[in-house]
Amino acid sequence: GIQVEQSPPDLILQEGANSTLRCNFSDSVNNLQWFHQNPWGQLINLFYIPSGTKQNGRLSATTVATERYSLLYISSSQTTDSGVYFCAVRLISSGSARQLTFGSGTQLTVLP
Amino acid sequence: DTGVSQDPRHKITKRGQNVTFRCDPISEHNRLYWYRQTLGQGPEFLTYFQNEAQLEKSRLLSDRFSAERPKGSFSTLEIQRTEQGDSAMYLCASSLGNRNEQFFGPGTRLTVL
């Protein structure tokens, strides 16, 4: 079945540090999204990135579709970056099915 | 606010009761999805609508669960004869067109006592 693996599962940083979160997936994708889930459970869209590189402020993401992985970079981390980061994919092999399959997330804690 | 909205935000019920949740997608989004998230896990797909047609259902969606999107706008998810294992966050998302970028609502947190 579809596999989406995220690493590391937990990450603790000092404010101002940089970090890289990784997402590996088992097949070719036509949709890949990164989300940040805040403490109230809201999933916030960070990137829609089935391939290529995008940047938004201190955050950037790269998906290398041919090698089946995506990276989320957080620079100069702030305490408000704390929360769970999810990668979610829709595989090309899923055909007409449109749902996303989520990884188990990376729990990020940024200490002041 | 033009995002996805869900109601109620929290629901506490006793085992055996029926509950119904509502989701209003982003205006003009033709696809609507329901997911369920339990503690420490990523969201898991339940069901998906394109306009008013229910096109996909997960094996997670037992006979006690039913979802509707009667006019292709808002959707309801009903759980009959709730069980303690139904306690979870129920998330709704919507998307438009082939890009299929999904936007999520704030969720309904269900607690079954």
Side-chain angles (χ1 to χ4, degrees):
Chain A
I2 301 169
Q3 298 224 350
V4 182
E5 296 180 344
Q6 292 187 243
S7 60
D10 297 279
L11 186 58
I12 301 175
L13 302 172
Q14 286 294 136
E15 198 167 28
N18 302 330
S19 61
T20 301
L21 282 58
R22 186 177 179 104
C23 172
N24 291 335
F25 41 92
S26 58
D27 204 348
S28 301
V29 299
N30 55 14
N31 181 0
L32 188 147
Q33 293 183 244
W34 283 98
F35 297 92
H36 176 210
Q37 189 164 42
N38 66 21
W40 297 272
Q42 173 80 57
L43 283 166
I44 299 165
N45 289 41
L46 298 177
F47 294 101
Y48 170 86
I49 188 165
S51 63
T53 297
K54 292 186 178 180
Q55 180 157 5
N56 184 3
R58 295 181 297 102
L59 273 59
S60 64
T62 295
T63 296
V64 183
T66 53
E67 297 187 20
R68 300 180 185 172
Y69 72 89
S70 183
L71 302 174
L72 177 68
Y73 305 97
I74 305 174
S75 64
S76 305
S77 57
Q78 301 175 357
T79 55
T80 52
D81 294 332
S82 296
V84 184
Y85 289 80
F86 286 105
C87 167
V89 305
R90 176 191 168 208
L91 300 186
I92 288 174
S93 57
S94 64
S96 61
R98 298 269 178 176
Q99 62 266 27
L100 294 174
T101 299
F102 283 75
S104 54
T106 292
Q107 172 75 59
L108 175 65
T109 303
V110 181
L111 302 174
Chain B
D1 185 7
T2 57
V4 179
S5 62
Q6 293 186 244
D7 183 72
R9 297 290 305 276
H10 302 272
K11 178 70 177 179
I12 300 173
T13 192
K14 293 182 179 179
R15 186 164 50 94
Q17 297 295 303
N18 299 343
V19 295
T20 300
F21 310 142
R22 177 179 170 123
C23 170
D24 287 87
I26 293 171
S27 180
E28 298 183 356
H29 275 196
N30 60 332
R31 296 192 181 94
L32 187 148
Y33 312 79
W34 286 98
Y35 294 81
R36 181 172 71 184
Q37 185 178 23
T38 53
L39 199 61
Q41 303 297 317
E44 295 177 291
F45 169 73
L46 291 178
T47 190
Y48 137 68
F49 292 84
Q50 180 164 307
N51 301 313
E52 65 276 8
Q54 188 173 18
L55 297 186
E56 294 280 343
K57 290 197 292 185
S58 162
R59 290 170 299 169
L60 293 176
L61 211 67
S62 77
D63 292 345
R64 297 183 298 104
F65 287 69
S66 63
E68 294 182 340
R69 195 183 183 199
K71 297 182 180 180
S73 56
F74 73 91
S75 175
T76 57
L77 178 68
E78 180 183 16
I79 308 175
Q80 296 183 327
R81 304 181 304 281
T82 52
E83 302 173 355
Q84 288 186 326
D86 297 331
S87 295
M89 175 78 91
Y90 289 84
L91 295 162
C92 176
S94 68
S95 70
L96 175 65
N98 288 330
R99 177 180 168 96
N100 201 44
E101 182 177 6
Q102 295 184 26
F103 296 86
F104 282 77
T108 295
R109 189 174 297 280
L110 173 66
T111 302
V112 182
L113 301 177

